[in-house]
Amino acid sequence: RTTPPRWRAFVFSAKQCATPMGGVLAGVMVPALLLAYVWKVAIASVAVASIAVMILIQPTRTRLDVDRDRTHPVGTGSFLKPLRIAVSRPDLRALAVMGFIYAGAQVTFASYFVVFLTERVALSIASAGFLYAIFSGCGIPIRLFWGVIAERVLSSRAILILTGVCMAIGFALTAQFESAWPFAALSAVTALLGLSANGWVGLFFSEIVRLVPDDQAADASGGGQFFTYGGIMTMPLIFGGIVAGTGEYTWSFYLLAVLCFIGAFQLLLTRPQPAPA
């Protein structure tokens, strides 16, 4: 609503930098609190910070909610409309599938990475936390970088396809992690995943907005986000189930690699359509 179309890729990407910045803080601070105190203090610190932010953002609501329509009817149709828009055309459906896979793979990796490193690669909590900070921290510069070149040097769609391929390579390499690997090699693969798995979200939303009329932008974005959170809710459970069933992380990481490749490939095969007038 407030951003010119030519700046949307950058603004959406810059906005999404908040997520990896939080990941960096978590990777650095939570292990330190865990070692200095008990785990309850580390968890409580996250809860207190979340409540503090919720309170601090309240003064901005008046300005951000200026277009709020208090008379807008809320019913079953209101909830289903974003989903119908998100799957109404092949190009939007391809983005929805991609968002499901990429978001699910990203959060699955973030959820299990530290445990995997400490249990199977035999790293200390501090070293595992450092690698997690690399994974999260790489998301900040890459989101800004993609935001600058998107629709100028490369299309957002091309970057999203490249992202999926890089994620697939990164997960396949992670499946082969061993304690004998040099820490520099572990860091390099982690950085590759940080630059790919953490860099796509802003472009995903800017591409959705580009493909629909302006008056459907909010609904289309909400529908797309429904599918991303569908991946976030289901893929970690599938990953964990495979680990529990096999006793190994290897096949779970290979599954993430295959799914990310599929997400990129089906996006490549779908031709984007111009937004209806």
Side-chain angles (χ1 to χ4, degrees):
R1 177 170 57 85
T2 60
T3 306
R6 66 189 182 92
W7 284 103
R8 281 175 181 166
F10 176 77
V11 171
F12 274 83
S13 296
K15 175 183 74 72
Q16 294 298 140
C17 286
T19 302
M21 288 175 67
V24 172
L25 288 175
V28 173
M29 294 179 62
V30 173
L33 291 169
L34 182 64
L35 293 173
Y37 303 99
V38 295
W39 67 268
K40 294 179 181 179
V41 173
I43 298 300
S45 68
V46 177
V48 170
S50 301
I51 293 171
V53 169
M54 184 172 65
I55 294 171
L56 290 172
I57 65 173
Q58 293 309 305
T60 68
R61 287 188 57 201
T62 300
R63 178 171 56 85
L64 294 176
D65 292 344
V66 67
D67 62 338
R68 182 182 177 192
D69 181 7
R70 294 179 180 272
T71 65
H72 184 76
V74 178
T76 304
S78 301
F79 290 105
L80 294 179
K81 181 181 178 183
L83 300 182
R84 287 197 296 265
I85 294 175
V87 298
S88 62
R89 302 196 326 245
D91 53 348
L92 293 172
R93 286 195 295 272
L95 280 171
V97 171
M98 185 219 78
F100 181 98
I101 293 173
Y102 286 13
Q106 175 188 359
V107 173
T108 298
F109 182 79
S111 300
Y112 286 93
F113 189 44
V114 171
V115 176
F116 165 69
L117 291 174
T118 54
E119 285 188 354
R120 299 304 166 94
V121 191
L123 294 183
S124 67
I125 291 179
S127 296
F130 181 78
L131 287 178
Y132 184 85
I134 290 177
F135 170 74
S136 298
C138 284
I140 300 171
I142 195 61
R143 292 182 191 210
L144 295 175
F145 176 74
W146 288 142
V148 169
I149 73 169
E151 308 306 332
R152 294 175 174 85
V153 179
L154 288 173
S155 68
S156 296
R157 205 174 194 85
I159 296 172
L160 290 171
I161 293 169
L162 175 63
T163 291
V165 174
C166 290
M167 289 172 67
I169 294 171
F171 288 132
L173 290 172
T174 303
Q176 303 175 49
F177 276 11
E178 295 180 355
S179 57
W181 277 45
F183 193 76
L186 299 176
S187 300
V189 175
T190 302
L192 173 64
L193 283 167
L195 292 171
S196 53
N198 276 329
W200 62 274
V201 185
L203 299 181
F204 168 74
F205 285 115
S206 68
E207 183 69 2
I208 288 178
V209 170
R210 188 180 70 85
L211 295 176
V212 299
D214 288 347
D215 61 350
Q216 293 184 0
D219 284 325
S221 298
Q225 188 143 347
F226 174 87
F227 287 96
T228 64
Y229 275 93
I232 288 170
M233 291 176 63
T234 57
M235 287 180 62
L237 297 177
I238 296 171
F239 185 99
I242 294 174
V243 172
T246 64
E248 295 289 340
Y249 285 83
T250 304
W251 293 110
S252 295
F253 281 121
Y254 280 137
L255 175 62
L256 293 184
V258 171
L259 289 175
C260 287
F261 182 81
I262 291 173
F265 188 67
Q266 59 94 38
L267 194 63
L268 176 65
L269 295 180
T270 308
R271 183 182 298 275
Q273 302 176 25

